[in-house]
Amino acid sequence: MTTTGSSHTAPARRPHRTTAAPDSGSPARPAPAGRAPLKGRLAVLAVTLGIFTIVTTEILPIGLLTRIGADFGVSDGTAGLMMTLPGFLAACAAPTVTVATARFDRRLMLCGLVALLALANFTAAAAPAYWLVLLSRVLVGVVIGGFWSIGVGLAERLVPAASAGRATAVIFSAVPLGSVIGVPAGTFLGDLAGWRTACAAVGGLAVGVWVLTALVLPPLPAVRATSPALLRATLRGVHTRFALLMTFLVVLAHFGAYTYVTPFLERTTHLATAATVTLFLLVYGVAGVVGNFAGGAVVARRPRAVFGTAAALLALATLLLPVLGREPVGALALLVVWGVAYGAVPVASQTWFAKAAPGAPEAASVLFTASFQATLSLGALAGGMVVDRTSPAVVMVLGGATAVLVALVAWLHFAKQPAWPVG
């Protein structure tokens, strides 16, 4: 398993390879050169829909938080545990699940994790008590950690190397699409028929993804068993450490600020209706899809440039929001810049990890997933502590200042480490 970044080094590193048993430590044979066959494209679609369903499940409570809290008689803060639990658990599950199942066929693992996601959604939909809802979110965290670590780097094993970059961008497009389509649709359904119906509907979508995954994914024996020793060795690389630092800072900057963008639009921009706020966030999501594909088109050749540019644009947008975002036109324009910038971040971060550890792509995905998810929860938590004591505008400024650090770290890495490792 690998991502866009490793498709350029794989042929030279592993010539004339053949499919090996999972315990051999040898890589599986890549897809033949040329246009991706239909089954390969369907396999990419299955992984994309899996991540789309996961993202929708993970952030759906943002739109249903007050309804669920009111049903169980818990405070908004207690209801907010539905958002913080999955991220922290995913950070733990990413290395644990991947190491524990290191020699399992990855196709079977993805099928099992999607089935667990369906169970989590159905459990939430039927939960008679709030603790069962939280238990379902524990299951969601396990799915996030396992599926992301295994699935996001599968493109090169599903399609020809020439199509791997495009396929990886398609897979990562599920992240902004979950915000643009999945969450608004789930929230609308929750308004129409109740939050339990919305959870059940996402569970039904997971069942459909499970069927598609079982039908179209080929057998995917483990390329290289991911062990604790391999993870430690990967962590010792200077490029990997820079990737961890960059991911930590940019995700902290983004989620520390974006989690509270709705209060900013309501209190600082003074948008009149909830529908207008939703429209602004939809525009942000569409911009995120554009940023994802724009970044994915060049990230394999210039990961540091993409990451640094995205961080600089994110800093620009969040630092200017308290100034120009007091008017709706200014706020909308800056949300478009923010969306384009952050849309490129997940694919850039994953590619950076893959290039930092080209010989251990699954270990790189584990580190990417764990750092991303842990910082997501930490950013939301830190932003909440700041916004309770100050204002949403201050959160935006702090997020922008953190994003400036990301751009500086990217420049420092380029100056100190001009060459990527080979092989």
Side-chain angles (χ1 to χ4, degrees):
M1 181 180 75
T2 186
T3 63
T4 55
S6 60
S7 63
H8 296 273
T9 58
R13 187 172 69 249
R14 301 186 295 259
H16 309 299
R17 60 189 178 181
T18 56
T19 303
D23 61 351
S24 68
S26 300
R29 188 187 335 174
R35 181 178 174 82
L38 176 60
K39 194 160 186 178
R41 296 198 294 272
L42 288 175
V44 170
L45 175 63
V47 175
T48 304
L49 288 176
I51 292 180
F52 173 85
T53 309
I54 289 170
V55 170
T56 300
T57 300
E58 183 178 14
I59 62 178
L60 182 61
I62 290 177
L64 304 175
L65 196 78
T66 55
R67 297 171 185 80
I68 296 174
D71 260 18
F72 291 109
V74 300
S75 68
D76 287 347
T78 303
L81 289 172
M82 291 184 292
M83 286 302 299
T84 56
L85 269 178
F88 285 123
L89 285 163
C92 297
T96 304
V97 172
T98 309
V99 169
T101 63
R103 301 189 183 280
F104 287 31
D105 188 295
R106 309 334 261 161
R107 171 178 173 270
L108 296 179
M109 283 301 305
L110 293 186
C111 287
L113 288 165
V114 174
L116 187 62
L117 183 67
L119 175 63
N121 278 288
F122 291 138
T123 299
Y130 185 60
W131 69 267
L132 267 177
V133 176
L134 293 183
L135 176 61
S136 77
R137 302 301 288 176
V138 170
L139 299 181
V140 171
V142 173
V143 172
I144 294 169
F147 196 102
W148 271 86
S149 295
I150 295 169
V152 295
L154 281 177
E156 194 183 72
R157 298 186 67 184
L158 300 176
V159 299
S163 303
R166 189 180 303 110
T168 300
V170 169
I171 289 172
F172 273 101
S173 72
V175 179
L177 285 174
S179 299
V180 174
I181 300 174
V183 174
T187 303
F188 175 76
L189 185 58
D191 289 339
L192 196 66
W195 66 268
R196 294 181 186 274
T197 302
C199 290
V202 180
L205 175 61
V207 171
V209 173
W210 178 84
V211 172
L212 180 63
T213 302
L215 289 176
V216 303
L217 251 68
L220 295 167
V223 169
R224 181 179 181 185
T226 301
S227 64
L230 180 58
L231 290 175
R232 288 193 297 269
T234 304
L235 270 173
R236 284 195 290 267
V238 64
H239 293 285
T240 304
R241 291 179 181 180
F242 265 100
L244 283 170
L245 178 60
M246 293 278 286
T247 299
F248 171 80
L249 288 174
V250 77
V251 176
L252 183 69
H254 172 73
F255 281 99
Y258 184 70
T259 302
Y260 305 98
V261 71
T262 296
F264 178 89
L265 294 173
E266 292 173 345
R267 300 173 197 171
T268 305
T269 311
H270 301 295
L271 296 185
T273 65
T276 308
V277 173
T278 301
L279 177 62
F280 273 45
L281 296 182
L282 281 173
V283 171
Y284 163 88
V286 171
V289 176
V290 173
N292 172 79
F293 281 103
V298 297
V299 71
R301 301 187 302 277
R302 299 179 177 272
R304 288 176 294 204
V306 173
F307 215 137
T309 302
L313 290 175
L314 196 157
L316 178 71
T318 50
L319 287 172
L320 289 180
L321 264 173
V323 180
L324 302 180
R326 297 182 179 277
E327 297 295 329
V329 173
L332 185 61
L334 290 173
L335 281 176
V336 169
V337 174
W338 191 350
V340 170
Y342 185 72
V345 165
V347 68
S349 180
Q350 168 69 10
T351 301
W352 194 315
F353 273 99
K355 278 186 169 289
E362 191 164 274
S365 289
V366 168
L367 295 176
F368 162 74
T369 302
S371 60
F372 197 98
Q373 290 295 329
T375 314
L376 184 157
S377 293
L378 180 62
L381 186 62
M385 295 173 64
V386 173
V387 81
D388 282 346
R389 290 164 175 76
T390 56
S391 70
V394 173
V395 173
M396 298 299 152
V397 171
L398 291 177
T402 307
V404 169
L405 289 179
V406 182
L408 291 176
V409 170
W411 176 83
L412 179 64
H413 182 269
F414 180 80
K416 298 255 182 209
Q417 301 288 337
W420 288 101
V422 179

